[in-house]
PDB file of all heavy atoms in Angstrom:
ATOM      1  N   MET D 408       0.832  -1.207   0.000  1.00  0.00           N
ATOM      2  CA  MET D 408       0.000   0.000   0.000  1.00  0.00           C
ATOM      3  C   MET D 408       0.869   1.261   0.000  1.00  0.00           C
ATOM      4  O   MET D 408       0.566   2.245  -0.674  1.00  0.00           O
ATOM      5  CB  MET D 408      -0.926  -0.011   1.218  1.00  0.00           C
ATOM      6  CG  MET D 408      -2.009   1.054   1.179  1.00  0.00           C
ATOM      7  SD  MET D 408      -3.173   0.744  -0.167  1.00  0.00           S
ATOM      8  CE  MET D 408      -4.268   2.137   0.012  1.00  0.00           C
ATOM      9  N   GLU D 409       1.965   1.211   0.747  1.00  0.00           N
ATOM     10  CA  GLU D 409       2.866   2.341   0.805  1.00  0.00           C
ATOM     11  C   GLU D 409       3.511   2.616  -0.552  1.00  0.00           C
ATOM     12  O   GLU D 409       3.660   3.765  -0.959  1.00  0.00           O
ATOM     13  CB  GLU D 409       3.957   2.092   1.849  1.00  0.00           C
ATOM     14  CG  GLU D 409       4.877   3.288   2.050  1.00  0.00           C
ATOM     15  CD  GLU D 409       5.893   3.035   3.139  1.00  0.00           C
ATOM     16  OE1 GLU D 409       5.688   2.101   3.935  1.00  0.00           O
ATOM     17  OE2 GLU D 409       6.907   3.775   3.191  1.00  0.00           O
ATOM     18  N   SER D 410       3.874   1.537  -1.271  1.00  0.00           N
ATOM     19  CA  SER D 410       4.483   1.702  -2.590  1.00  0.00           C
ATOM     20  C   SER D 410       3.478   2.278  -3.585  1.00  0.00           C
ATOM     21  O   SER D 410       3.841   3.067  -4.464  1.00  0.00           O
ATOM     22  CB  SER D 410       5.021   0.369  -3.101  1.00  0.00           C
ATOM     23  OG  SER D 410       3.984  -0.591  -3.198  1.00  0.00           O
ATOM     24  N   LEU D 411       2.212   1.894  -3.460  1.00  0.00           N
ATOM     25  CA  LEU D 411       1.175   2.435  -4.336  1.00  0.00           C
ATOM     26  C   LEU D 411       0.964   3.919  -4.056  1.00  0.00           C
ATOM     27  O   LEU D 411       0.806   4.721  -4.993  1.00  0.00           O
ATOM     28  CB  LEU D 411      -0.135   1.661  -4.127  1.00  0.00           C
ATOM     29  CG  LEU D 411      -1.256   1.927  -5.139  1.00  0.00           C
ATOM     30  CD1 LEU D 411      -0.821   1.500  -6.530  1.00  0.00           C
ATOM     31  CD2 LEU D 411      -2.531   1.203  -4.726  1.00  0.00           C
ATOM     32  N   HIS D 412       0.983   4.283  -2.789  1.00  0.00           N
ATOM     33  CA  HIS D 412       0.846   5.687  -2.412  1.00  0.00           C
ATOM     34  C   HIS D 412       2.017   6.505  -2.952  1.00  0.00           C
ATOM     35  O   HIS D 412       1.839   7.637  -3.426  1.00  0.00           O
ATOM     36  CB  HIS D 412       0.767   5.814  -0.886  1.00  0.00           C
ATOM     37  CG  HIS D 412       0.561   7.223  -0.411  1.00  0.00           C
ATOM     38  ND1 HIS D 412       1.609   8.063  -0.080  1.00  0.00           N
ATOM     39  CD2 HIS D 412      -0.579   7.959  -0.237  1.00  0.00           C
ATOM     40  CE1 HIS D 412       1.130   9.236   0.282  1.00  0.00           C
ATOM     41  NE2 HIS D 412      -0.188   9.201   0.200  1.00  0.00           N
ATOM     42  N   TYR D 413       3.214   5.928  -2.899  1.00  0.00           N
ATOM     43  CA  TYR D 413       4.406   6.609  -3.423  1.00  0.00           C
ATOM     44  C   TYR D 413       4.302   6.775  -4.939  1.00  0.00           C
ATOM     45  O   TYR D 413       4.675   7.819  -5.478  1.00  0.00           O
ATOM     46  CB  TYR D 413       5.658   5.795  -3.077  1.00  0.00           C
ATOM     47  CG  TYR D 413       6.944   6.418  -3.557  1.00  0.00           C
ATOM     48  CD1 TYR D 413       7.518   7.495  -2.894  1.00  0.00           C
ATOM     49  CD2 TYR D 413       7.592   5.927  -4.693  1.00  0.00           C
ATOM     50  CE1 TYR D 413       8.699   8.076  -3.344  1.00  0.00           C
ATOM     51  CE2 TYR D 413       8.778   6.502  -5.154  1.00  0.00           C
ATOM     52  CZ  TYR D 413       9.322   7.577  -4.464  1.00  0.00           C
ATOM     53  OH  TYR D 413      10.482   8.144  -4.920  1.00  0.00           O
ATOM     54  N   PHE D 414       3.790   5.767  -5.616  1.00  0.00           N
ATOM     55  CA  PHE D 414       3.659   5.809  -7.073  1.00  0.00           C
ATOM     56  C   PHE D 414       2.720   6.930  -7.511  1.00  0.00           C
ATOM     57  O   PHE D 414       2.948   7.570  -8.543  1.00  0.00           O
ATOM     58  CB  PHE D 414       3.148   4.460  -7.580  1.00  0.00           C
ATOM     59  CG  PHE D 414       3.015   4.379  -9.072  1.00  0.00           C
ATOM     60  CD1 PHE D 414       4.131   4.314  -9.894  1.00  0.00           C
ATOM     61  CD2 PHE D 414       1.758   4.341  -9.668  1.00  0.00           C
ATOM     62  CE1 PHE D 414       4.014   4.234 -11.271  1.00  0.00           C
ATOM     63  CE2 PHE D 414       1.625   4.256 -11.046  1.00  0.00           C
ATOM     64  CZ  PHE D 414       2.758   4.205 -11.849  1.00  0.00           C
ATOM     65  N   PHE D 415       1.665   7.186  -6.732  1.00  0.00           N
ATOM     66  CA  PHE D 415       0.676   8.214  -7.075  1.00  0.00           C
ATOM     67  C   PHE D 415       0.856   9.492  -6.256  1.00  0.00           C
ATOM     68  O   PHE D 415      -0.059  10.316  -6.202  1.00  0.00           O
ATOM     69  CB  PHE D 415      -0.745   7.678  -6.873  1.00  0.00           C
ATOM     70  CG  PHE D 415      -1.188   6.686  -7.913  1.00  0.00           C
ATOM     71  CD1 PHE D 415      -1.151   5.325  -7.660  1.00  0.00           C
ATOM     72  CD2 PHE D 415      -1.618   7.115  -9.151  1.00  0.00           C
ATOM     73  CE1 PHE D 415      -1.557   4.405  -8.616  1.00  0.00           C
ATOM     74  CE2 PHE D 415      -2.028   6.207 -10.122  1.00  0.00           C
ATOM     75  CZ  PHE D 415      -1.992   4.848  -9.850  1.00  0.00           C
ATOM     76  N   ARG D 416       2.014   9.693  -5.645  1.00  0.00           N
ATOM     77  CA  ARG D 416       2.242  10.851  -4.782  1.00  0.00           C
ATOM     78  C   ARG D 416       2.046  12.164  -5.544  1.00  0.00           C
ATOM     79  O   ARG D 416       2.212  12.222  -6.765  1.00  0.00           O
ATOM     80  CB  ARG D 416       3.651  10.785  -4.179  1.00  0.00           C
ATOM     81  CG  ARG D 416       4.784  10.959  -5.182  1.00  0.00           C
ATOM     82  CD  ARG D 416       6.127  10.571  -4.557  1.00  0.00           C
ATOM     83  NE  ARG D 416       7.251  10.817  -5.477  1.00  0.00           N
ATOM     84  CZ  ARG D 416       7.615   9.988  -6.455  1.00  0.00           C
ATOM     85  NH1 ARG D 416       6.947   8.859  -6.650  1.00  0.00           N
ATOM     86  NH2 ARG D 416       8.653  10.272  -7.225  1.00  0.00           N
ATOM     87  N   ALA D 417       1.725  13.219  -4.804  1.00  0.00           N
ATOM     88  CA  ALA D 417       1.466  14.519  -5.415  1.00  0.00           C
ATOM     89  C   ALA D 417       2.504  15.562  -5.031  1.00  0.00           C
ATOM     90  O   ALA D 417       2.431  16.700  -5.502  1.00  0.00           O
ATOM     91  CB  ALA D 417       0.080  15.009  -5.023  1.00  0.00           C
ATOM     92  N   LEU D 475      -7.192   8.193 -16.467  1.00  0.00           N
ATOM     93  CA  LEU D 475      -6.352   8.082 -15.275  1.00  0.00           C
ATOM     94  C   LEU D 475      -5.572   9.375 -15.027  1.00  0.00           C
ATOM     95  O   LEU D 475      -5.439   9.815 -13.882  1.00  0.00           O
ATOM     96  CB  LEU D 475      -5.387   6.902 -15.425  1.00  0.00           C
ATOM     97  CG  LEU D 475      -6.017   5.512 -15.344  1.00  0.00           C
ATOM     98  CD1 LEU D 475      -4.989   4.444 -15.707  1.00  0.00           C
ATOM     99  CD2 LEU D 475      -6.573   5.261 -13.942  1.00  0.00           C
ATOM    100  N   TRP D 479      -6.158  11.694 -11.850  1.00  0.00           N
ATOM    101  CA  TRP D 479      -5.080  11.990 -10.895  1.00  0.00           C
ATOM    102  C   TRP D 479      -4.972  13.492 -10.670  1.00  0.00           C
ATOM    103  O   TRP D 479      -4.817  13.955  -9.537  1.00  0.00           O
ATOM    104  CB  TRP D 479      -3.760  11.436 -11.428  1.00  0.00           C
ATOM    105  CG  TRP D 479      -2.606  11.627 -10.485  1.00  0.00           C
ATOM    106  CD1 TRP D 479      -2.255  10.847  -9.419  1.00  0.00           C
ATOM    107  CD2 TRP D 479      -1.637  12.698 -10.525  1.00  0.00           C
ATOM    108  NE1 TRP D 479      -1.142  11.350  -8.792  1.00  0.00           N
ATOM    109  CE2 TRP D 479      -0.747  12.482  -9.446  1.00  0.00           C
ATOM    110  CE3 TRP D 479      -1.453  13.794 -11.364  1.00  0.00           C
ATOM    111  CZ2 TRP D 479       0.327  13.333  -9.190  1.00  0.00           C
ATOM    112  CZ3 TRP D 479      -0.389  14.656 -11.110  1.00  0.00           C
ATOM    113  CH2 TRP D 479       0.482  14.415 -10.035  1.00  0.00           C
ATOM    114  N   THR D 483      -5.736  14.795  -6.837  1.00  0.00           N
ATOM    115  CA  THR D 483      -4.581  15.292  -6.093  1.00  0.00           C
ATOM    116  C   THR D 483      -4.510  16.805  -6.065  1.00  0.00           C
ATOM    117  O   THR D 483      -3.891  17.392  -5.171  1.00  0.00           O
ATOM    118  CB  THR D 483      -3.262  14.766  -6.695  1.00  0.00           C
ATOM    119  OG1 THR D 483      -3.121  15.256  -8.038  1.00  0.00           O
ATOM    120  CG2 THR D 483      -3.248  13.247  -6.698  1.00  0.00           C
ATOM    121  N   PRO D 542       9.953   5.608  -9.634  1.00  0.00           N
ATOM    122  CA  PRO D 542       8.685   5.412 -10.363  1.00  0.00           C
ATOM    123  C   PRO D 542       7.611   6.398  -9.915  1.00  0.00           C
ATOM    124  O   PRO D 542       7.469   6.687  -8.731  1.00  0.00           O
ATOM    125  CB  PRO D 542       8.303   3.980  -9.964  1.00  0.00           C
ATOM    126  CG  PRO D 542       8.844   3.827  -8.576  1.00  0.00           C
ATOM    127  CD  PRO D 542      10.115   4.644  -8.530  1.00  0.00           C
ATOM    128  N   HIS D 543       6.876   6.906 -10.876  1.00  0.00           N
ATOM    129  CA  HIS D 543       5.736   7.767 -10.576  1.00  0.00           C
ATOM    130  C   HIS D 543       4.723   7.656 -11.698  1.00  0.00           C
ATOM    131  O   HIS D 543       5.078   7.491 -12.866  1.00  0.00           O
ATOM    132  CB  HIS D 543       6.160   9.224 -10.405  1.00  0.00           C
ATOM    133  CG  HIS D 543       5.059  10.086  -9.871  1.00  0.00           C
ATOM    134  ND1 HIS D 543       4.229  10.827 -10.691  1.00  0.00           N
ATOM    135  CD2 HIS D 543       4.626  10.286  -8.610  1.00  0.00           C
ATOM    136  CE1 HIS D 543       3.342  11.475  -9.949  1.00  0.00           C
ATOM    137  NE2 HIS D 543       3.558  11.161  -8.678  1.00  0.00           N
ATOM    138  N   PHE D 544       3.458   7.789 -11.336  1.00  0.00           N
ATOM    139  CA  PHE D 544       2.365   7.626 -12.292  1.00  0.00           C
ATOM    140  C   PHE D 544       2.495   8.563 -13.488  1.00  0.00           C
ATOM    141  O   PHE D 544       2.295   8.158 -14.635  1.00  0.00           O
ATOM    142  CB  PHE D 544       1.019   7.857 -11.593  1.00  0.00           C
ATOM    143  CG  PHE D 544      -0.116   8.081 -12.550  1.00  0.00           C
ATOM    144  CD1 PHE D 544      -0.619   7.039 -13.324  1.00  0.00           C
ATOM    145  CD2 PHE D 544      -0.665   9.350 -12.724  1.00  0.00           C
ATOM    146  CE1 PHE D 544      -1.642   7.250 -14.235  1.00  0.00           C
ATOM    147  CE2 PHE D 544      -1.692   9.566 -13.627  1.00  0.00           C
ATOM    148  CZ  PHE D 544      -2.181   8.511 -14.379  1.00  0.00           C
ATOM    149  N   THR D 545       2.834   9.841 -13.250  1.00  0.00           N
ATOM    150  CA  THR D 545       2.861  10.798 -14.354  1.00  0.00           C
ATOM    151  C   THR D 545       3.968  10.482 -15.361  1.00  0.00           C
ATOM    152  O   THR D 545       3.805  10.756 -16.554  1.00  0.00           O
ATOM    153  CB  THR D 545       3.038  12.235 -13.831  1.00  0.00           C
ATOM    154  OG1 THR D 545       4.225  12.307 -13.032  1.00  0.00           O
ATOM    155  CG2 THR D 545       1.838  12.669 -13.021  1.00  0.00           C
TER     156      THR D 545
END
Side-chain angles (χ1 to χ4, degrees):
M408 191 66 181
E409 185 177 343
S410 59
L411 191 63
H412 183 268
Y413 181 77
F414 182 72
F415 287 100
R416 68 193 184 278
L475 289 172
W479 183 83
T483 63
H543 190 265
F544 164 71
T545 56

